[in-house]
Amino acid sequence: MRWIAILLCGWSLALTATSTRAQGAGQAVVVALDDAISPATAAYFEGALDDAIDAGARLLILELDTPGGLDSAMRDIIKRILASPIPVVTYVSPSGSRAASAGTYILYASHVAAMAPATNLGAATPIPVGGSPGGAPTQPGAEQPEPASDDESAGDAQPASQPDEVAPAGTASRRKAVNDAVAYIRGLAERRGRNADWAERAVREGVSLSADAALADNVIDLVAASIPELLAAIDGRTVELATGSVTLATEGLTLQRVEPDWRVELLSIITNPTVAYILMMIGIYGLLLEGYSPGAIVPGVVGSIALLLALFAFQALPINYAGLALMALGLALMVAEAFAPSFGALGLGGLAAFVFGSIMLMDTDVPGYGVNLGVIGGIATVGCAGMVLSAWMFARSRRAPISTASEALAGECGVADTPLAAGEAGWSIVAGETWKIRPTAPLEAGERFRVIDREGLELQVEPVRATAQH
């Protein structure tokens, strides 16, 4: 019995020591999202969360500063947070940052929602990509449908009109998007025990809150000036994970920042709207140059790669296809100007369509997206310069002397190989080719003559001396 007691005591001490070592060796992974929510940022977050889980991290801290972003990428992030086996703490930081639009949903989904002083969240109204086909897109500040009454389910889509009324154009699609977003954010709020009514207002009315006001309204859990202060404040807090409740032990945690790898960086660069726009233009002009000079190879290869990368980026970006069609029409008209000169009508029309299409290409109502106007202006200027150069070259070619065909032989000179009488046929070299010649006056061997006309494959010539006498 004594040996059994000793073994049990030793085992208990070993477990205590192991637990103490585990607590001392714990770490928190820090991930920073400081741009629009996109497929690249979603891939970055998911990869960091997987690595944190594999490394046995105690929790993941998401430092957030975003104007919003794409709904699909936002939902990917939220799905991973809800299913995470470790707590995810979203911290809007540093001071001056915001968690607008998509950031508000992520903040509501997190196990712990925290903000630094002088930060804000809200303006979570959904904006349909490319605009609503039946009316204006829903956006913060626009006239919104009235909030649902207390006895109505906020997540259920309401009828667009009474049976004897006609709903305004676009109302049904807009209300569907808003009601879907309301149901989504209320579900997140109810799961985390946060203010669901204010969440609905953020979606329906586009309202925002400062950090202190959000804390007072039970929208977030705490306000902290730094990550160490945040860790101290949440130590001992109980959160609900997908696997059950867990009490946070954040005292003494070491911080490990995870930076995006080269694949995420590359995806982030390619899906930048301005970069995608430039890639598309490189692709189009590369293929055009290859068409003008078949066999050049390099323009075709570079253009094909750039165009494929642009198309890959466009499938992840809020593209306005009317703008894309206008750009294609503009390029076609500018190319047509080079082949069928219309005194600038085709070229100027194509340039206008190209510029308007470029401006419309990205749905700038989606926060964080839009093509730099300076880039559009630069590419439009280059296109205009190319059109002017083509017109100048065409005009110059009209004024240039004829250098081919029968007309080019008139005035060419040659030397008679043998003496020829007037009207007698002979052979001689003219313009590097052997021609049958028939002089209008006698020619001596070695005498120079000038071409005055051509009949079939025979040249009418006259001695240079006769020309001089004239």
Side-chain angles (χ1 to χ4, degrees):
M1 292 296 293
R2 184 176 62 182
W3 288 108
I4 293 175
I6 292 173
L7 288 174
L8 289 174
C9 286
W11 183 58
S12 176
L13 289 173
L15 287 177
T16 303
T18 301
S19 176
T20 303
R21 284 196 301 271
Q23 280 191 334
Q27 67 177 10
V29 174
V30 181
V31 177
L33 296 185
D34 56 1
D35 205 348
I37 303 300
S38 67
T41 55
Y44 168 40
F45 172 80
E46 291 174 9
L49 181 58
D50 289 336
D51 292 343
I53 294 170
D54 294 340
R58 296 286 184 83
L59 74 160
L60 183 142
I61 300 175
L62 175 60
E63 276 191 317
L64 190 61
D65 178 15
T66 180
L70 299 180
D71 178 81
S72 58
M74 173 199 76
R75 288 177 182 260
D76 288 341
I77 292 175
I78 290 175
K79 286 176 184 177
R80 292 304 309 274
I81 292 175
L82 297 178
S84 174
I86 64 173
V88 175
V89 178
T90 297
Y91 178 41
V92 184
S93 173
S95 295
S97 301
R98 56 179 170 166
S101 194
T104 301
Y105 293 81
I106 294 173
L107 198 63
Y108 262 88
S110 302
H111 302 98
V112 177
M115 299 176 71
T119 57
N120 65 281
L121 81 162
T125 306
I127 301 173
V129 171
S132 172
T138 305
Q139 53 186 313
E143 182 180 354
Q144 305 297 337
E146 292 298 324
S149 60
D150 292 339
D151 58 344
E152 292 176 334
S153 171
D156 294 335
Q158 304 299 323
S161 61
Q162 298 298 326
D164 56 344
E165 297 177 354
V166 178
T171 299
S173 61
R174 183 169 59 192
R175 291 184 66 175
K176 285 180 181 178
V178 171
N179 285 329
D180 177 71
V182 166
Y184 190 56
I185 201 167
R186 285 191 72 95
L188 297 174
E190 291 164 1
R191 178 159 184 171
R192 300 301 182 206
R194 301 193 179 111
N195 191 331
D197 292 333
W198 184 88
E200 180 173 346
R201 289 188 60 212
V203 174
R204 293 192 182 278
E205 304 171 26
V207 296
S208 298
L209 279 180
S210 66
D212 292 334
L215 180 62
D217 285 353
N218 189 32
V219 172
I220 61 173
D221 299 313
L222 69 148
V223 175
S226 63
I227 290 182
E229 182 178 330
L230 169 65
L231 292 176
I234 64 176
D235 186 45
R237 180 186 294 265
T238 300
V239 296
E240 190 71 28
L241 302 179
T243 55
S245 299
V246 63
T247 300
L248 300 178
T250 57
E251 183 179 356
L253 290 182
T254 59
L255 300 178
Q256 179 187 0
R257 287 192 171 270
V258 176
E259 302 296 334
D261 59 18
W262 67 269
R263 292 169 298 181
V264 174
E265 291 283 8
L266 179 62
L267 181 60
S268 180
I269 291 172
I270 291 175
T271 53
N272 180 290
T274 300
V275 174
Y277 176 77
I278 293 174
L279 285 172
M280 183 186 69
M281 298 312 303
I282 292 174
I284 291 173
Y285 281 116
L287 294 180
L288 285 176
L289 289 175
E290 184 67 27
Y292 291 150
S293 304
I297 300 177
V298 174
V301 171
V302 173
S304 299
I305 294 173
L307 193 58
L308 288 174
L309 289 175
L311 293 175
F312 169 77
F314 285 166
Q315 60 89 28
L317 291 173
I319 296 298
N320 186 313
Y321 290 99
L324 190 61
L326 273 175
M327 287 184 62
L329 175 63
L331 288 170
L333 292 177
M334 286 190 283
V335 171
E337 176 69 29
F339 292 98
S342 60
F343 303 100
L346 288 175
L348 292 176
L351 183 64
F354 175 81
V355 171
F356 286 125
S358 298
I359 294 173
M360 295 168 56
L361 180 63
M362 296 291 173
D363 190 346
T364 52
D365 286 334
V366 178
Y369 289 88
V371 179
N372 188 291
L373 293 180
V375 174
I376 295 175
I379 293 179
T381 301
V382 171
C384 183
M387 185 178 61
V388 172
L389 179 63
S390 298
W392 175 77
M393 293 178 68
F394 173 76
R396 188 182 69 168
S397 67
R398 291 291 298 269
R399 295 191 299 268
I402 298 173
S403 58
T404 59
S406 303
E407 295 81 358
L409 291 171
E412 287 286 341
C413 295
V415 178
D417 296 335
T418 59
L420 295 172
E424 182 183 359
W427 297 89
S428 185
I429 296 176
V430 179
E433 298 177 328
T434 301
W435 285 88
K436 186 177 182 179
I437 63 172
R438 192 178 298 274
T440 59
L443 283 174
E444 300 293 335
E447 186 177 0
R448 286 176 58 80
F449 60 82
R450 188 187 310 276
V451 178
I452 59 174
D453 197 6
R454 182 174 80 92
E455 294 181 3
L457 299 178
E458 184 178 285
L459 301 180
Q460 300 294 320
V461 303
E462 64 179 1
V464 173
R465 69 175 187 278
T467 306
Q469 291 174 358
H470 293 311

